Amino acid sequence: MEKLKQLFFEKSQALRAEVKRWSKEQGDKQVDSVSVRQLLGGARGVKMMLWETSKLDSIEGIRFRGYSIPELRELLPKGDGKEPRPEGLFWLMLVDEIPTEEDVKWLTDQWTQRSNVPEQTFKVLEALPPDTHPMTQFIAAITSMQSSSIFARRYAEGLGKSEYWRPVYEDAMNLIARLPRIAAYIYRRTYHGGDHIAPDISLDWAANFAHMLGNDSEDFKDLMRLYLTIHADHEGGNASAHTSHLVNSTLSDPYLSFAAGMASLAGPLHGLANQEVVKWITNMLDALGTSNPSKEQIAEYVQGTLKAGKVIPGYGHAVLRRPDPRFMAQKSFAEEHLSDDEMVQVVWKVFEVVPPILQGLGKVKNPWPNVDAHSGALLMHYGIKEYSFYTVLFGVSRALGVLSAMCWSRALGLPLERPKSVTSGWLREFLNQA
Ligand code: CMX
């Protein structure tokens, strides 16, 4: 190994062991208002941010403005479909009121009117090799639209602080309106040889997205309405929301802030887990040579994954301590529409097998499935089989939460986010004195 790399290896390995020991042996000690374990452990549970649009409870799961997912499936306007329209959730998150059918129709019309994607965005996408990961394409496309940020222009013109929220609202509305067209364009160029499908402006936001992806069935439109609703927000501490929030706190505009959040969503411990789940199941079925594995076969495969030092994708959560209500909502959709689907059957068997195994490890805080454990099987059923695309769908939905929250952050004049870091030398001295 070259000298620099070797030196880094030796020093980092020594400190890694020491840091692990501090967390294990002195984790409960307080450093100001947080414990040593929280300081070293990714700030788990540290309350340090105002986030209006949703709140996560470890047992109940997510509530958007106080409403659970089952309640939203009842209460939000559905138009002529069976699932809530994501437009209604955006309205609720932004103004804390359940909208009427008429309000939602107005919002659909607004997003249709604002949905024109700048020509340069398509040029940027066409410049990328088609095998570029869809999330990389998505982030490049969002960034390419930054020159149309109204916030960036108005700020440069000398906008006063109390007015920041106005152009942020306009950018949020424009960005959300354009995302389905961009995502569908990425999908069709990457997997369907550039055979694009023109938008149908008579449809609502999610149904038009389903149409541009290439499936016009009413069930798939409903799945997209549900999918884009339940993935929208998960309070502010999750990595994609928090990244957007942090970047926007520097007054970076909504395009750049949202693009940064999407880079965060593209990590396999976060949103990319939805592609990893289908990859893991597909590899398992290939390895076992069956599309209908027994629970014993699945258990053995799970043990093999763990022995190889890997995580079981779609299981575990930093906050939740029960099966994710977003998983359960997708399960209930599957029970109603596609309970005979082979992949869905496998997902349900995995749900029976994995939790007791993870529980048995003694270190996993939440052995239950999260949102990503189910979504891929539903998409596969409706013909969206290219799993590297799945995180883009998550990202289109996440825009609703982070951009409505961004309007609030700027309206409330929240300051630049700036937590404090310490060095290992400082912590060593602190622990020696304590
Ligand atoms: N399979 C195997 N081991 C797991 C595990 C899983 N699904 N979930 C947690 N663990 C392990 C952790 O890797 C950690 O091990 P070490 O101490 O050896 O490092 C230990 O259990 C404790 O972790 P934890 O406190 O329970 O979980 P974290 O808050 O650190 O991490 C999460 C949460 C989601 C990153 C983790 O559960 C995980 O990696 N899950 C699989 C990936 C996944 O599904 N991510 C999607 C989450 C939802 C989303 O954001 O989209």
Side-chain angles (χ1 to χ4, degrees):
M1 216 187 298
E2 59 201 49
K3 185 178 169 189
L4 182 62
K5 201 170 176 181
Q6 179 67 30
L7 259 176
F8 175 76
F9 172 68
E10 287 161 13
K11 296 204 172 204
S12 59
Q13 289 311 295
L15 185 56
R16 183 188 163 111
E18 196 179 8
V19 165
K20 260 198 159 168
R21 210 173 45 248
W22 287 340
S23 190
K24 198 167 166 215
E25 293 168 8
Q26 305 191 70
D28 291 333
K29 282 201 176 129
Q30 291 293 121
V31 184
D32 296 339
S33 56
V34 299
S35 68
V36 168
R37 190 173 296 107
Q38 286 172 312
L39 187 152
L40 295 173
R44 288 291 184 290
V46 177
K47 292 191 176 74
M48 46 72 72
M49 194 192 316
L50 203 58
W51 191 268
E52 294 298 287
T53 47
S54 68
K55 186 167 168 292
L56 185 59
D57 179 83
S58 62
I59 305 298
E60 271 200 325
I62 189 69
R63 279 187 180 268
F64 301 86
R65 294 289 191 177
Y67 295 100
S68 68
I69 287 176
E71 286 165 355
L72 290 182
R73 286 180 86 186
E74 284 298 315
L75 293 172
L76 284 179
K78 301 190 181 75
D80 49 6
K82 290 190 188 143
E83 295 293 342
R85 295 206 173 168
E87 290 92 325
L89 179 67
F90 179 78
W91 184 291
L92 172 68
M93 287 192 291
L94 194 66
V95 295
D96 194 13
E97 284 176 19
I98 297 273
T100 61
E101 288 280 354
E102 208 173 303
D103 294 331
V104 163
K105 195 178 167 329
W106 174 86
L107 194 47
T108 302
D109 289 346
Q110 272 292 309
W111 288 354
T112 303
Q113 284 166 34
R114 293 168 182 257
S115 63
N116 199 29
V117 175
E119 205 42 48
Q120 85 252 16
T121 298
F122 298 122
K123 286 191 185 141
V124 166
L125 287 173
E126 289 305 331
L128 294 170
D131 62 354
T132 307
H133 192 280
M135 278 306 277
T136 310
Q137 297 190 50
F138 192 50
I139 293 161
I142 297 160
T143 311
S144 78
M145 296 190 292
Q146 188 273 340
S147 54
S148 65
S149 168
I150 299 169
F151 177 83
R153 177 165 53 78
R154 300 282 314 279
Y155 184 85
E157 288 165 0
L159 189 68
K161 269 186 186 177
S162 63
E163 295 295 295
Y164 287 168
W165 71 270
R166 290 181 196 276
V168 168
Y169 170 89
E170 297 300 331
D171 279 351
M173 293 281 278
N174 292 339
L175 190 40
I176 291 168
R178 293 166 178 177
L179 290 178
R181 173 93 168 101
I182 289 168
Y185 191 93
I186 292 168
Y187 179 70
R188 302 292 303 182
R189 88 175 279 265
T190 307
Y191 308 109
H192 292 270
D195 179 16
H196 295 292
I197 299 170
D200 178 346
I201 59 163
S202 71
L203 296 172
D204 53 280
W205 187 69
N208 186 32
F209 189 18
H211 160 75
M212 289 187 285
L213 288 173
N215 185 334
D216 274 305
S217 73
E218 291 309 312
D219 282 356
F220 185 57
K221 285 177 187 156
D222 264 331
L223 174 65
M224 290 313 291
R225 292 179 184 118
L226 178 66
Y227 186 107
L228 296 172
T229 297
I230 63 177
H231 286 77
D233 207 30
H234 219 224
E235 73 167 35
N238 71 79
S240 53
H242 185 203
T243 306
S244 301
H245 179 75
L246 165 66
V247 174
N248 189 242
S249 84
T250 71
L251 300 185
S252 184
D253 63 68
Y255 289 84
L256 295 179
S257 307
F258 179 60
M262 291 301 95
S264 191
L265 191 73
L269 295 187
H270 191 16
L272 202 81
N274 61 7
Q275 80 164 45
E276 295 302 292
V277 167
V278 173
K279 193 165 145 190
W280 181 82
I281 291 180
T282 309
N283 287 344
M284 173 175 75
L285 299 182
D286 282 352
L288 299 175
T290 174
S291 56
N292 182 20
S294 67
K295 287 187 206 163
E296 292 70 28
Q297 285 176 306
I298 294 174
E300 205 176 317
Y301 193 80
V302 168
Q303 296 290 6
T305 303
L306 294 172
K307 271 198 197 103
K310 295 187 256 180
V311 295
I312 309 301
Y315 282 76
H317 199 273
V319 178
L320 290 170
R321 297 296 176 257
R322 286 277 191 280
D324 190 333
R326 300 171 300 176
F327 174 91
M328 299 312 285
Q330 295 177 88
K331 185 166 181 284
S332 100
F333 185 95
E335 280 159 358
E336 194 184 333
H337 296 279
L338 52 143
S339 59
D340 292 340
D341 183 281
E342 272 191 335
M343 182 69 121
V344 165
Q345 297 282 341
V346 175
V347 166
W348 292 351
K349 268 191 205 166
V350 171
F351 178 32
E352 287 181 64
V353 170
V354 166
I357 297 179
L358 290 183
Q359 235 150 8
L361 295 179
K363 64 172 183 177
V364 181
K365 296 195 190 64
N366 177 43
W368 301 108
N370 58 57
V371 65
D372 300 316
H374 212 311
S375 52
L378 297 173
L379 295 165
M380 295 281 281
H381 179 85
Y382 291 104
I384 312 296
K385 294 176 190 278
E386 302 85 357
Y387 52 74
S388 334
F389 180 69
Y390 291 172
T391 313
V392 174
L393 292 172
F394 194 155
V396 172
S397 175
R398 190 45 57 99
L400 303 176
V402 302
L403 290 167
S404 51
M406 214 174 276
C407 293
W408 275 95
S409 299
R410 299 288 65 81
L412 297 177
L414 299 184
L416 177 74
E417 209 175 72
R418 183 58 168 94
K420 177 93 185 96
S421 65
V422 297
T423 63
S424 59
W426 183 93
L427 190 56
R428 191 179 295 112
E429 205 177 317
F430 174 85
L431 291 173
N432 284 341
Q433 284 167 3

